[in-house]
Amino acid sequence: MILNLTFVQTLFSALAEAFKDCIRVIPVLLAVFYIIEVVEYFYSDKILHFARLSKKAGPLLGAVFAAIPQCGLSIIASTMYCKRYITRGTLLSVYLATSDEAIPVLLASPKRIEIILPLILIKLAVALFSGYLVDLFFPSKKTEPVEENFKMEKGCHSHEIVKNAESAAGTGLREILIHPFVHTLSVVFFIFIVTFLVNACMAWVSAGGAGLLNFSIFKNNFVQPLLTAVFGLIPNCAVSVGITILYLKGAITFASCVSGLCAGAGLGLLVLLKNNKDKKDTAFVLALLLIISVFSGYLTLLLPM
């Protein structure tokens, strides 16, 4: 009976946390999708031009902006990548540089504030180097939006052309108003389901969390970067908090913290999983993110930290 009560409380807690996460992300998603829809409709030719010009600066801009403490840029980057406005390297540079809630948690711990700058610089260097390297050796098959060609049917009369143009304008306006809203609801529902499942699992395990850290595999400094990187791939903003707290409590090394936070792209991964039509490409991006994060952790082990 006590076990069942605890289980129910865990589920309600996970449900509440998932609901709060979704409420927080709705304004960001809605704003992003509406902006993209409007810009696409009115400035599609300029977007194509900008996409071509920004390829070389993409990883640099992505890494620098992602280094600012926030949890929305990975969502924006994933959305833009799914539409092929940015390259694969730019997407990964955003994922690797972002830290979600890690920096605020470190700022709240005065004894470890000195670690913030090295953490940001390491993640920034990893993001920049990896972003350009990925674009060089693993470029996206399609790194810019597809230009749509609207061809007239032969024998089209002038009144039919005007009618078709008016119909297209009306349809476009409806899409601008409705499509972003529907898109937001679809993504938020997906985020809610996954976040609820993740929160439920984490809450259930947390009851024996202290005991889990006693296993020898968690005490092995060489294995930790791999474990924290895999943990970081869980698409939830709370993961960065968990990794940071584990580091502050001395449960993991700084290198393991770097590995986990490099992999922790937060809710951006959910948007990528939901919206990227090329599932093989999604799997490849996740594999690159994991490999780079683990490798970064092992390289950090060599630093005198």
Side-chain angles (χ1 to χ4, degrees):
M1 182 65 182
I2 295 176
L3 180 62
N4 290 337
L5 183 60
T6 303
F7 180 70
V8 171
Q9 289 174 339
T10 299
L11 288 181
F12 271 111
S13 175
L15 196 65
E17 287 297 322
F19 183 74
K20 284 193 292 185
D21 286 345
C22 287
I23 290 297
R24 184 176 60 177
V25 82
I26 283 175
V28 176
L29 286 175
L30 199 58
V32 168
F33 291 151
Y34 265 115
I35 290 171
I36 289 176
E37 194 76 28
V38 170
V39 171
E40 276 185 337
Y41 186 77
F42 291 104
Y43 304 102
S44 57
D45 56 334
K46 290 182 175 61
I47 290 175
L48 289 167
H49 183 64
F50 178 76
R52 294 188 187 102
L53 292 177
S54 63
K55 285 180 183 177
K56 292 183 179 179
L60 172 62
L61 294 174
V64 170
F65 282 109
I68 301 170
Q70 41 67 41
C71 60
L73 190 61
S74 65
I75 294 174
I76 297 173
S78 296
T79 302
M80 294 184 72
Y81 179 72
C82 292
K83 292 177 176 290
R84 297 305 185 261
Y85 290 151
I86 61 174
T87 64
R88 183 182 289 146
T90 301
L91 177 70
L92 281 167
S93 70
V94 170
Y95 283 173
L96 291 163
T98 189
S99 298
D100 279 343
E101 311 293 342
I103 303 303
V105 172
L106 287 172
L107 285 171
S109 304
K111 293 181 180 180
R112 302 315 303 264
I113 284 181
E114 77 280 355
I115 213 69
I116 293 177
L117 185 59
L119 176 64
I120 292 175
L121 290 177
I122 290 172
K123 283 171 61 63
L124 197 58
V126 170
L128 277 171
F129 184 74
S130 302
Y132 282 110
L133 210 60
V134 167
D135 276 347
L136 181 64
F137 292 102
F138 306 105
S140 308
K141 292 181 181 178
K142 211 165 48 171
T143 57
E144 58 186 44
V146 178
E147 297 183 68
E148 296 183 5
N149 296 316
F150 299 97
K151 297 180 179 179
M152 290 284 192
E153 291 186 8
K154 293 182 179 180
C156 216
H157 299 292
S158 60
H159 70 278
E160 291 177 337
I161 294 173
V162 173
K163 185 178 179 181
N164 290 338
E166 290 175 348
S167 176
T171 302
L173 185 60
R174 284 195 298 273
E175 285 183 355
I176 289 175
L177 294 174
I178 297 172
H179 184 256
F181 184 74
V182 174
H183 195 182
T184 299
L185 290 179
S186 174
V187 173
V188 167
F189 178 74
F190 184 73
I191 289 174
F192 178 79
I193 296 298
V194 175
T195 303
F196 168 67
L197 294 174
V198 170
N199 287 344
C201 291
M202 290 178 68
W204 186 252
V205 171
S206 65
L212 286 174
L213 294 175
N214 290 327
F215 287 122
S216 59
I217 191 171
F218 287 94
K219 291 186 175 182
N220 189 323
N221 290 350
F222 191 75
V223 177
Q224 276 187 14
L226 174 61
L227 295 175
T228 53
V230 172
F231 181 61
L233 286 179
I234 297 174
N236 192 299
C237 292
V239 168
S240 62
V241 176
I243 291 171
T244 308
I245 290 175
L246 285 175
Y247 168 66
L248 291 174
K249 290 184 177 295
I252 60 175
T253 63
F254 178 72
S256 302
C257 182
V258 168
S259 180
L261 293 179
C262 280
L267 296 177
L269 294 179
L270 279 184
V271 176
L272 181 70
L273 289 166
K274 175 70 172 59
N275 292 339
N276 194 8
K277 295 179 180 179
D278 189 343
K279 300 307 176 186
K280 289 183 179 179
D281 177 62
T282 298
F284 187 58
V285 169
L286 293 177
L288 284 174
L289 180 61
L290 178 62
I291 291 170
I292 294 169
S293 299
V294 174
F295 188 67
S296 301
Y298 287 132
L299 282 180
T300 308
L301 278 174
L302 303 177
L303 297 177
M305 299 296 296

